[in-house]
Amino acid sequence: MPPIDDYLAANQQRFEQELFELLRLPSVSADPEFAPQVRAAAEWVAAQFRSFEFATEVIETAGFPLVFAQSPQVEGRPTALVYGHYDVQPPDPLEEWKSPPFEPTIRDGNIYARGATDDKGQMFTHIKSVEAWIKSVGELPLNIKFLIEGEEEVGSANLEKFLATHADKLACDCVVISDTSQYAPGVPAITYGLRGIIAFEVTFRGPSQDLHSGSFGGAVTNPANALCRVMATLHDEQHRVTIPTFYDDIVELTQDERAQFAALPYDEADFMRQLGVDGLRGEAGYSSLEQRWTRPTLDINGLTSGYQKPGPKTIIPAWARCKFSCRLVPNQDPAKITAAVKSYFQSRCPAGIQMEVHAFHGAPGVLVDPASPYITAAAKAIERGFGNRPVLIREGGSIPIVTHFQQVLGVDTLLLGWGLNDDNTHSPNEKFNLADFHRGIKASSYLWEELGRLEA
Ligand code: BES
Ligand code: ZN
């Protein structure tokens, strides 16, 4: 499509500069200290849609606002709903970043910044492809709605409520999300399954204040000792989770799916090098891809107690706290798993400890139909944009709202990832490959053409 291709080529640098503006806003949804900047990111995104005259609304919720924008109506064509998020994970640990997280920097063909790939950079590809259609062709070949939220990284609870009462506004034929990864460099992917999640925080309280461990140690329950003991019982020698009923509802992998995963190129030594580990130690009986994409887990995300500054300090801490989360797979019910986890802790609460177990908002795992015409159309667009046919994969991360799109809107989601596995999402030195940013914009602009050919 010459007019669009020309427009994209002529505007590459401006697109990068604009993405840098968005990346400079520290829109960390988890930390109340950043609230004004999270809101500024919402306004920045809304201004983008207004610049090409989409009907645009910044919709308040009990948390951070939703940005909703809609293209002018094109009769007889299908409607795509593009979802993305303008919030980011906390940048910590700050000292590990080679350039500051909110000062986007280009090194070795990559943009380094918190949110570069997750999800500002990926989400922005769809905004720029739409701009290209409007500014070069004059109109889109289908109807597009955008829904960009600011609470994905904290579970999307307010969007879930909005969706329940505004299904009409969001009505569409399919959802499009770029918030996942390619399978490998040069191997683009369409993701047809994601894991779900449920996150917890458990606090053990003992003495009313920190105690001298010499004067009192040995006579009372140490909350840190006690918490470590309980946490250590959560896995067995096969790396399986020990909580009763945890695996009850899982649908086992089919032989076809196992064969499909086994056929994907996979270099174990390379994978270990990327992670900086000397071996892979997951659940027995499953390949590494199967473990990451299709098996549920329980992992500690943070563990805090007692003295953390330099040098020794001999105390019995008054309390200990652990943040942990379970990745869930399709058919596991987050509410049932929450109940099982809580009852496990209750039955093991040691004497001398007052325990609180808090469950954060959860989301079930999701599978979409890998044979839908939308997937076929997306595969064509990706092949045109990236030069290679995409493979079909599952991924282990979670995008909580996808299940609700399925349940409330009755539509499937196209998970079209432009990122890479080593993009350091949620880690220091998050990056997004610049060439993939531009390929993503291209693939997105072809996607509108391919989807526009389908029945409304
Ligand atoms: N972009 C990720 C989802 C993702 C990660 C997909 C890895 C595929 C592979 C998303 O923004 C994310 O990180 N979600 C959170 C959700 C949670 C905080 C409720 C996640 O998966 O931890
Ligand atoms: Zn994301």
Side-chain angles (χ1 to χ4, degrees):
M1 285 178 300
I4 290 178
D5 292 338
D6 292 349
Y7 185 89
L8 296 184
N11 287 281
Q12 280 205 355
Q13 279 197 348
R14 176 173 59 82
F15 292 170
E16 290 171 19
Q17 281 155 13
E18 288 179 2
L19 174 58
F20 275 33
E21 280 178 26
L22 177 59
L23 291 171
R24 284 191 194 104
L25 299 171
S27 47
V28 180
S29 51
D31 185 346
E33 218 172 85
F34 292 93
Q37 290 97 323
V38 183
R39 289 179 169 274
E43 289 300 335
W44 191 94
V45 170
Q48 282 284 322
F49 295 122
R50 291 187 185 118
S51 76
F52 44 84
E53 276 141 43
F54 266 32
T56 306
E57 294 166 66
V58 177
I59 302 167
E60 285 300 331
T61 70
F64 292 118
L66 303 166
V67 182
F68 180 78
Q70 203 165 353
S71 63
Q73 183 72 21
V74 195
E75 284 307 320
R77 296 293 178 92
T79 301
L81 173 69
V82 180
Y83 164 87
H85 61 97
Y86 62 79
D87 66 322
V88 299
Q89 286 267 323
D92 311 69
L94 287 173
E95 62 282 6
E96 303 271 324
W97 285 78
K98 294 200 178 96
S99 49
F102 299 109
E103 283 174 28
T105 306
I106 296 182
R107 286 195 301 276
D108 310 326
N110 296 307
I111 312 171
Y112 285 85
R114 171 58 87 234
T117 188
D118 184 8
D119 177 38
K120 289 173 173 173
Q122 293 205 62
M123 173 267 285
F124 199 49
T125 61
H126 297 302
I127 298 184
K128 292 296 103 173
S129 71
V130 163
E131 177 194 301
W133 271 91
I134 303 276
K135 295 275 170 87
S136 65
V137 178
E139 62 173 4
L140 281 155
L142 80 171
N143 299 291
I144 302 191
K145 297 174 180 176
F146 277 88
L147 176 67
I148 312 296
E149 72 151 318
E151 296 186 302
E152 195 272 350
E153 299 291 6
V154 290
S156 303
N158 289 306
L159 173 55
E160 192 186 323
K161 284 183 205 137
F162 179 83
L163 187 59
T165 48
H166 295 80
D168 285 358
K169 194 179 182 81
L170 303 176
C172 60
D173 296 287
C174 74
V175 176
V176 174
I177 305 180
S178 290
D179 193 18
T180 49
S181 291
Q182 303 176 63
Y183 179 69
V187 190
I190 297 181
T191 297
Y192 68 92
L194 291 171
R195 288 196 288 190
I197 188 167
I198 180 94
F200 299 90
E201 187 170 281
V202 54
T203 310
F204 276 22
R205 293 182 203 282
S208 55
Q209 60 183 37
D210 291 358
L211 302 175
H212 191 295
S213 66
S215 307
F216 307 105
V220 294
T221 304
N222 176 326
N225 294 6
L227 184 58
C228 289
R229 271 180 76 109
V230 176
M231 295 312 294
T233 64
L234 286 164
H235 295 90
D236 66 15
E237 297 298 314
Q238 266 67 50
H239 306 282
R240 284 172 64 89
V241 176
T242 51
I243 296 173
T245 74
F246 190 76
Y247 294 96
D248 277 8
D249 298 327
I250 294 175
V251 182
E252 284 296 331
L253 275 169
T254 62
Q255 284 311 319
D256 275 359
E257 219 175 7
R258 293 193 100 157
Q260 225 174 292
F261 295 166
L264 290 167
Y266 181 70
D267 182 335
E268 198 161 282
D270 217 42
F271 180 63
M272 280 161 43
R273 217 169 304 126
Q274 181 202 327
L275 304 191
V277 297
D278 65 0
L280 296 175
R281 299 176 184 89
E283 186 186 351
Y286 296 91
S287 74
S288 183
L289 284 182
E290 289 168 356
Q291 288 161 354
R292 291 161 55 206
W293 293 351
T294 74
R295 298 297 297 167
T297 60
L298 186 155
D299 275 299
I300 295 178
N301 308 125
L303 195 52
T304 320
S305 181
Y307 182 65
Q308 310 274 342
K309 291 189 197 155
K313 185 179 186 224
T314 45
I315 54 159
I316 309 259
W319 58 267
R321 178 170 298 138
C322 183
K323 291 177 193 280
F324 63 97
S325 54
C326 295
R327 292 289 165 177
L328 307 179
V329 298
N331 214 42
Q332 274 183 307
D333 175 1
K336 264 172 92 174
I337 299 292
T338 303
V341 168
K342 284 191 165 171
S343 107
Y344 184 91
F345 275 85
Q346 264 137 23
S347 67
R348 279 162 189 78
C349 178
I353 293 295
Q354 280 179 299
M355 183 183 71
E356 286 159 37
V357 187
H358 176 72
F360 295 95
H361 193 75
V366 68
L367 281 174
V368 302
D369 175 10
S372 81
Y374 299 103
I375 296 235
T376 312
K380 279 190 211 152
I382 292 174
E383 187 169 2
R384 288 170 67 192
F386 281 76
N388 286 319
R389 277 186 80 78
V391 291
L392 274 173
I393 63 168
R394 288 169 67 167
E395 287 222 50
S398 313
I399 305 176
I401 206 66
V402 175
T403 312
H404 303 286
F405 286 145
Q406 222 171 30
Q407 288 169 354
V408 180
L409 303 180
V411 295
D412 267 351
T413 292
L414 290 171
L415 294 160
L416 315 178
W418 318 141
L420 290 172
N421 250 314
D422 66 354
D423 275 345
N424 301 322
T425 54
H426 298 201
S427 304
N429 304 306
E430 178 175 346
K431 65 171 176 64
F432 188 25
N433 183 272
L434 260 180
D436 285 334
F437 171 58
H438 294 293
R439 288 184 196 113
I441 301 174
K442 269 196 167 182
S444 171
S445 68
Y446 302 141
L447 179 68
W448 310 138
E449 187 183 31
E450 300 290 350
L451 291 178
R453 292 196 180 120
L454 300 178
E455 264 176 50

